[in-house]
Amino acid sequence: MPHGLLTIDCGAVVRNWRRLCETHAGGAVAAVLKADAYGLGAAPIARALRDAGCRHFFVATVEEGEALRATLGEGPMVAVLGGFPAGKHAGLTPVLNSLDDVAAHSGPAILHVDSGMSRLGLALDELEKLADNPALLDGLEILYVMTHLAAAEDPQHPLNLVQLTRFNEACLRLPRARRSIANSSGIFLGPRFGSELARPGAALYGLNPTPGRPNPMEPVFTLTGQVLQLRNIPPGQTVGYGGAWLATRPSRIATIGIGYADGLPRALEGRLKGRYRGQEFPMVGRVSMDLMTFDVTGIRAMKAGRWIEIIGPHQDADMVAGMAGTIGYELLTSLGRRFRRDYLPA
Ligand SMILES: *Cc1c(COP(=O)(O)O)cnc(C)c1O
């Protein structure tokens, strides 16, 4: 019996996708479902988005692509972002990241141009070669030419316009094709960053694509942990490893069955808050591998077996990530495989 419960609202994911469709200046909006939909579970989320009309999906690996194709059935595009071995992967769309990839593939594909991320995609010198010899693209049907923004979450960052300019210049030198530019944050950079296909991931899952400004997205999930035990301790007694927290008054301590093995970093010590029936209280002591402790002194309704909210309206994933010195993306993709995942239908 899992002690942690993730409740994932597929309806909220769909509403976020529609919101992104309204905001994106340009054409369609895809869904990036790599890493099992950022840890939330690709299959139920993919079905909900498909039923809402989403026609384009991106994953990181061929294995993820094959699983997603089995979930979605025929029809929607399933594109693989990183490394697509030449061979038969019927029904998946390769993202071509180099001239070697261009040479190795035929049929429908996406051409990835590196405009400044310096990670994947055709470099400028490769682009020159392609521009000088367009026959290299023979046998390929380029569905989109794409690029990926490195700093879109900061609208003031000079790299945004540098990348856009480089990409526009690259597109002028290539055979005419539809374009794909914005990730979640890129959608909020304004009409210049619009294209025929945006590729949001994080914003679908409720992470804030506009850090430092109010979150335009709806939260998508809550994480609750079940109270395994309640105990009363006297002043002067410590809680947890290292005796790191000291009770200064008679205290009531609730232990829940979630720890750093479930993706809640130790750096949350002294920062995280729990919530029960609208009342908030601090986590105390260190995060253990499978356990965390909360000071629930004065929370009279608390009982063993009850569920404490850890991530929810009082404290969203971006906040919890910030407390631990990381970003929502890393927190989400670390969320434990031990949690039960319940899905609310769209
Ligand atoms: C992960 C990824 C995205 C989605 O980015 P978000 O910031 O989560 O919206 C889009 N495009 C590429 C190439 C990616 O790797």
Side-chain angles (χ1 to χ4, degrees):
M1 179 57 193
H3 303 307
L5 172 62
L6 275 172
T7 307
I8 297 146
D9 183 351
C10 293
V13 177
V14 166
R15 287 189 292 279
N16 282 339
W17 179 72
R18 293 208 174 104
R19 177 83 220 268
L20 294 169
C21 292
E22 287 161 17
T23 309
H24 180 230
V29 175
V32 179
L33 267 64
K34 60 197 184 193
D36 201 23
Y38 292 37
L40 295 180
I45 289 175
R47 278 189 219 105
L49 287 168
R50 175 199 59 195
D51 294 347
C54 182
R55 305 293 299 156
H56 307 85
F57 296 84
F58 285 85
V59 292
T61 67
V62 169
E63 289 71 25
E64 291 178 351
E66 286 170 342
L68 190 57
R69 175 57 75 206
T71 299
L72 290 172
E74 293 305 308
M77 179 185 90
V78 176
V80 178
L81 286 166
F84 198 115
K88 292 192 207 69
H89 293 286
L92 303 181
T93 303
V95 173
L96 309 176
N97 288 313
S98 66
L99 280 186
D100 286 344
D101 282 355
V102 168
H105 289 278
S106 58
I110 294 173
L111 188 66
H112 185 183
V113 171
D114 175 22
S115 60
M117 183 66 117
S118 314
R119 214 174 52 166
L120 291 175
L122 270 76
L124 280 182
D125 59 327
E126 290 189 295
L127 208 68
E128 296 291 324
K129 283 189 197 144
L130 202 54
D132 292 343
N133 189 3
L136 292 173
L137 293 173
D138 286 354
L140 285 165
E141 181 198 347
I142 300 301
L143 302 178
Y144 295 92
V145 180
M146 68 167 256
T147 198
H148 190 42
L149 299 171
E153 66 285 351
D154 176 3
Q156 308 305 331
H157 203 295
L159 205 44
N160 294 323
L161 272 182
V162 168
Q163 286 193 267
L164 188 65
T165 306
R166 279 188 196 146
F167 183 60
N168 286 338
E169 282 167 3
C171 287
L172 286 177
R173 310 206 51 196
L174 291 169
R176 220 178 142 68
R178 288 172 292 180
R179 303 182 313 152
S180 175
I181 302 176
N183 66 338
S184 298
S185 295
I187 292 174
F188 292 84
L189 285 178
R192 274 189 297 186
F193 291 82
S195 64
E196 278 86 358
L197 186 66
R199 303 183 312 276
L204 294 172
Y205 312 117
L207 298 180
N208 187 356
T210 61
R213 288 179 282 156
N215 189 351
M217 311 322 295
E218 187 178 332
V220 159
F221 71 97
T222 58
L223 171 63
T224 54
Q226 192 170 30
V227 177
L228 305 180
Q229 241 190 2
L230 273 173
R231 66 185 61 248
N232 297 309
I233 62 168
Q237 186 164 323
T238 63
V239 173
Y241 283 119
W245 188 80
L246 176 76
T248 56
R249 51 166 165 72
S251 301
R252 200 144 186 259
I253 302 297
T255 303
I256 68 163
I258 294 180
Y260 59 76
D262 302 298
L264 279 292
R266 292 178 76 246
L268 292 172
E269 180 178 349
R271 298 191 166 93
L272 193 72
K273 293 221 172 348
R275 187 170 180 265
Y276 182 71
R277 293 192 182 168
Q279 282 181 285
E280 290 186 24
F281 39 83
M283 181 183 74
V284 294
R286 298 215 172 128
V287 180
S288 308
M289 185 181 295
D290 317 297
L291 301 169
M292 276 195 262
T293 37
F294 290 87
D295 178 4
V296 295
T297 311
I299 311 289
R300 305 196 51 187
M302 186 60 73
K303 292 197 171 64
R306 297 286 162 85
W307 293 80
I308 291 179
E309 278 174 55
I310 317 275
I311 299 177
H314 73 297
Q315 185 176 255
D316 65 21
D318 288 309
M319 282 172 72
V320 174
M323 290 172 190
T326 183
I327 56 172
Y329 295 69
E330 190 181 27
L331 185 82
L332 251 62
T333 53
S334 305
L335 288 174
R337 310 317 303 173
R338 296 193 292 195
F339 294 150
R340 200 173 102 195
R341 283 165 167 75
D342 279 358
Y343 295 91
L344 309 178

